[in-house]
Amino acid sequence: MTYDLDHAKWYSSNRKCLMVIKGSIEDSIRDSIPECTTATEYLKKVESLFTGSLKAYASTLIKKLVNEKYTGGGIREHILRMSNTTSKLKLMDLGLKDEFLIHLIFASLPKEYETFVVNYNL
């Protein structure tokens, strides 16, 4: 008798959890996830679906960092933008050394900042 009551409570809780999880996911993503009977199984499928996209996101951030060029405006904002991209990579355990970030920042600057680069290297 207690098993049946516990099972009924678990079933109700599991069904509610699945509804909350599915309700918080975008429709286009939800349609690509196969149906599951438990909330735990559903979350594992969601996790496996996004593991590959995390690697693609890291690759996109690295390409953005390497190809970043100063286009005008504030130099401070340019440096902060590149530093912010690096901090996102650190969260994924792909952090860059500060010296390498400085090299990338200097490489992204136009010729008119060459004296700044030379003075830093002295």
Side-chain angles (χ1 to χ4, degrees), residues 1-78:
M1 179 82 174
T2 41
Y3 172 78
D4 291 338
L5 290 175
D6 288 341
H7 183 70
K9 286 180 185 178
W10 175 86
Y11 182 78
S12 175
S13 296
N14 183 60
R15 190 173 43 86
K16 289 175 185 175
C17 287
L18 275 171
M19 287 181 359
V20 168
I21 293 168
K22 288 179 180 181
S24 63
I25 297 175
E26 189 70 32
D27 290 339
S28 59
I29 297 171
R30 185 177 40 222
D31 292 341
S32 65
I33 302 169
E35 286 297 319
C36 301
T37 55
T38 65
T40 307
E41 182 184 354
Y42 191 79
L43 288 174
K44 285 181 183 178
K45 298 235 180 187
V46 170
E47 180 183 15
S48 68
L49 181 69
F50 286 100
T51 301
S53 65
L54 187 63
K55 292 176 186 175
Y57 180 60
S59 176
T60 302
L61 288 176
I62 291 170
K63 287 177 186 176
K64 177 182 176 186
L65 191 62
V66 170
N67 294 324
E68 182 84 27
K69 296 293 179 200
Y70 178 69
T71 57
I75 191 79
R76 182 175 188 267
E77 286 79 18
H78 173 69

